[in-house]
Amino acid sequence: MTLRLFDTLTRRLQPVEPLRDQEIRMYTCGPTVYNRVHIGNFRTFLFEDVLRRWLERRFERVVHVMNLTDVDDRIINNARESGHSLDEETAPWIAAFFEDRDTLGIRPAHHYPRATEYVAQMVELIERLEREGAAYRREGSVYFHIPAFPAYGRLSGISADQLIAGASGRVDADDYTKEDVRDFALWKAVAPGQAGWDSPFGRGHPGWHIECSAMSMTLLGESFDIHCGGVDNIFPHHENEIAQSEAATHKQFVRMWVHSEHLRVDGEKMARRTGRFLRVPEVLEQGASAAALRYLLAASTHYRKPLNYSDEPLAASREAVERLVSFRDRLRELQPSGEDEDTELADDAVLTAVRQARTGFDDAMDDDLNLPEAMGAVFASLRDINRVLDGAPSGGEALHAVRSLLDEVDDVLGVFPLVDRERELAGGLDEEEESLLQQRAAARQARDFALSDRLREELARRGIDIDDTPGGQRWKRSA
Ligand code: AMP
Ligand code: ZN
């Protein structure tokens, strides 16, 4: 089966066929670094990570670019208020972003271009748009002229009339200087003394949209394969990126647009603006493990469905991770048996289950990156395999096949390295204590609370206090 993804522009599943032989070039809109990003942003970044990982399985080479928006009005204002340069203002947020990315096991992009380092390319692109008659200057700013790009609106399906109606409700100062209220800024003039760049249009700073057009085309070429972001990026950001890029190059900008749905809280998009948001360190402080959070955001719900953040799905994700980890632990302890008839039969059953899991996983992933369904296939097979292993010993080949399956699955899911890191950090627990802790997790999963209480007492006798949280059991040495 070939990989198909839902393309926002054509509104249907499309096969992923690289423009260049065996190479996928992908651009994902990165964070605006005026604050620490929240776990809603990370839902999108994790979807992109899973996509990247799966593309790497399907194609020889993937080039992934994620921009960092390190200049916009908010950043400029914050810098002015705190007496910082733009760099000083954004450096801690960029560092925090990379830290959270690593906490969640996201593979680093190959390039993280910063808007402030590509101003020359943006100016060049704006001049090109002027030559094409698609941009005009007004009082030191430059605007894109939407009527010059008749295909405008194809991505979002928003018609020109709707745009005008939408715009009339929020006319801000610069709307009066534009030829058409729909037009958007490519370059924004700044008052003397404010942070900005000198340009042929006067002193100013680039608009947000032009940044992504300039950086993606500089690093990936004028036409590339995949562009991603959250659904809120469709309009106006990506619509404007298409207009700017295609009006300049007269080539198709992007082959495929892939957008992920939002993380919500109480049914509403998680957003910094509303104040109802959580960041990665806060979720971990509340007791969740990084692996459970990664599973929740990446694997519990298909990327095109909204996900509501709450304790319940977080606990379910923790259980899913625990099931995988205890299966892996069990496999580690198993020794291959000698050959006999029972073993042969058991091995056949194990190998069949492994094949089913692999086919189920691959098919679901190829079908619009359906990781929840893919994991469903894996868990169904693990149940079968566990049953076989309970009944009869297995030979080396079967055990090896199961281990490879787990490695392949986690190459995409990416939770084992996070669990291993946590165990390492937890250090200090000896093997026996570690095993008691695991037995207790298993007992709780099996709802055997009597056993779980006995294990808690046993651990307390050894000086280890347990706290049960929605993210799993936490332990600490008693004072
Ligand atoms: P921003 O810094 O606001 O430009 O957002 C960076 C990325 O996070 C974009 O791709 C957004 O679409 C995405 N994003 C923002 N809020 C959410 C949310 N609540 N759920 C999922 N993705 C989001
Ligand atoms: Zn962007």
Side-chain angles (χ1 to χ4, degrees):
M1 218 165 109
T2 50
L3 167 59
R4 297 192 312 158
L5 295 172
F6 186 85
D7 170 35
T8 308
L9 187 75
T10 53
R11 292 168 179 70
R12 56 174 65 98
L13 289 173
Q14 298 284 5
V16 179
E17 287 159 354
L19 288 162
R20 285 184 194 157
D21 192 34
Q22 280 303 308
E23 180 185 79
I24 295 286
R25 287 165 290 158
M26 118 168 168
Y27 186 90
T28 59
C29 286
T32 306
V33 284
Y34 75 101
N35 209 326
R36 194 170 196 133
V37 307
H38 55 68
I39 59 170
N41 300 120
F42 274 108
R43 181 182 188 202
T44 293
F45 302 150
L46 276 165
F47 144 70
E48 292 159 351
D49 183 53
V50 169
L51 174 58
R52 147 104 180 260
R53 286 163 180 255
W54 191 246
L55 289 168
E56 282 175 346
R57 284 272 280 279
R58 285 286 179 250
F59 301 96
E60 270 166 34
R61 227 165 89 80
V62 177
V63 185
H64 175 199
V65 177
M66 173 179 272
N67 68 299
L68 299 174
T69 300
D70 62 349
V71 56
D72 79 345
D73 292 332
R74 289 166 297 191
I75 294 173
I76 292 174
N77 283 339
N78 291 351
R80 196 180 39 229
E81 278 169 20
S82 50
H84 287 154
S85 67
L86 287 184
D87 260 358
E88 286 166 343
E89 185 59 36
T90 56
W93 308 125
I94 293 174
F97 168 62
F98 287 149
E99 190 185 320
D100 294 344
R101 173 201 67 188
D102 295 341
T103 298
L104 293 176
I106 293 175
R107 283 188 189 157
H110 302 97
H111 304 272
Y112 287 102
R114 299 178 186 195
T116 51
E117 288 169 356
Y118 284 77
V119 175
Q121 286 85 343
M122 297 178 214
V123 167
E124 220 172 274
L125 183 57
I126 297 171
E127 288 183 307
R128 202 165 158 190
L129 288 169
E130 285 190 318
R131 287 197 298 277
E132 293 288 338
Y136 60 90
R137 303 183 191 193
R138 277 288 183 291
E139 297 171 14
S141 294
V142 187
Y143 296 95
F144 185 88
H145 191 46
I146 287 180
F149 187 69
Y152 193 88
R154 274 179 54 212
L155 182 73
S156 56
I158 291 177
S159 70
D161 302 350
Q162 282 171 309
L163 262 181
I164 293 170
S168 62
R170 47 174 176 76
V171 177
D172 53 353
D174 68 10
D175 282 330
Y176 296 108
T177 58
K178 295 190 271 187
E179 276 180 16
D180 188 314
V181 280
R182 298 170 298 166
D183 295 349
F184 59 90
L186 298 167
W187 186 263
K188 295 181 172 183
V190 295
Q194 269 189 18
W197 287 261
D198 290 320
S199 79
F201 330 113
R203 198 169 166 72
H205 70 83
W208 170 36
H209 316 299
I210 196 72
E211 164 193 327
C212 285
S213 289
M215 294 193 287
S216 62
M217 292 200 290
T218 302
L219 290 165
L220 295 174
E222 291 184 348
S223 297
F224 57 92
D225 299 282
I226 300 180
H227 196 315
C228 306
V231 287
D232 57 309
N233 281 162
I234 297 174
F235 184 83
H237 186 48
H238 290 164
E239 195 73 77
N240 291 353
E241 276 189 50
I242 296 176
Q244 297 160 153
S245 308
E246 297 191 356
T249 66
H250 301 282
K251 288 181 196 156
Q252 185 180 37
F253 173 43
V254 164
R255 192 76 176 276
M256 193 175 274
W257 290 91
V258 193
H259 293 101
S260 59
E261 255 297 347
H262 286 145
L263 180 68
R264 301 179 175 178
V265 226
D266 293 334
E268 246 183 75
K269 177 191 170 195
M270 183 175 283
R272 287 185 267 204
R273 182 173 41 74
T274 62
R276 302 211 51 205
F277 61 88
L278 279 167
R279 290 167 288 208
V280 173
E282 289 154 0
V283 177
L284 301 192
E285 272 158 30
Q286 291 173 6
S289 70
L293 181 59
R294 181 178 165 100
Y295 195 103
L296 172 75
L297 296 175
S300 71
T301 306
H302 187 254
Y303 78 88
R304 284 201 292 122
K305 293 205 179 102
L307 166 63
N308 209 50
Y309 183 82
S310 70
D311 285 350
E312 219 173 287
L314 182 60
S317 294
R318 167 180 50 81
E319 276 172 25
V321 172
E322 277 169 4
R323 242 179 296 158
L324 287 169
V325 171
S326 47
F327 186 80
R328 186 184 63 159
D329 289 344
R330 177 177 195 192
L331 273 185
R332 279 182 175 165
E333 280 159 23
L334 284 177
Q335 295 298 325
S337 69
E339 298 291 305
D340 68 24
E341 217 169 286
D342 275 355
T343 304
E344 259 174 50
L345 276 176
D347 282 3
D348 280 349
V350 168
L351 291 171
T352 305
V354 167
R355 257 193 314 275
Q356 274 169 355
R358 187 170 285 129
T359 314
F361 188 86
D362 290 1
D363 286 354
M365 288 303 287
D366 281 338
D367 182 16
D368 199 22
L369 220 66
N370 198 336
L371 186 53
E373 195 176 305
M375 290 314 299
V378 171
F379 283 121
S381 290
L382 294 195
R383 269 194 299 276
D384 293 345
I385 296 170
N386 261 328
R387 222 172 294 130
V388 178
L389 296 180
D390 288 344
S394 274
E397 191 198 339
L399 292 181
H400 178 73
V402 185
R403 288 189 183 113
S404 313
L405 170 72
L406 272 192
D407 287 345
E408 277 169 41
V409 167
D410 202 60
D411 181 47
V412 178
L413 186 66
V415 296
F416 287 151
L418 308 187
V419 172
D420 292 341
R421 187 181 57 203
E422 195 162 84
R423 282 186 176 178
E424 221 176 282
L425 285 175
L429 280 189
D430 65 27
E431 233 170 85
E432 218 172 321
E433 291 162 341
E434 179 73 53
S435 150
L436 286 169
L437 214 59
Q438 276 176 33
Q439 286 171 40
R440 188 167 179 278
R444 287 181 58 78
Q445 200 179 316
R447 310 205 153 269
D448 185 347
F449 296 112
L451 176 59
S452 129
D453 285 347
R454 272 204 305 283
L455 289 163
R456 174 199 286 279
E457 282 158 25
E458 174 61 35
L459 282 155
R461 268 197 295 282
R462 291 161 187 255
I464 296 164
D465 288 340
I466 306 286
D467 201 11
D468 289 310
T469 75
Q473 45 178 12
R474 307 271 106 185
W475 65 270
K476 62 173 186 302
R477 296 257 171 220
S478 21

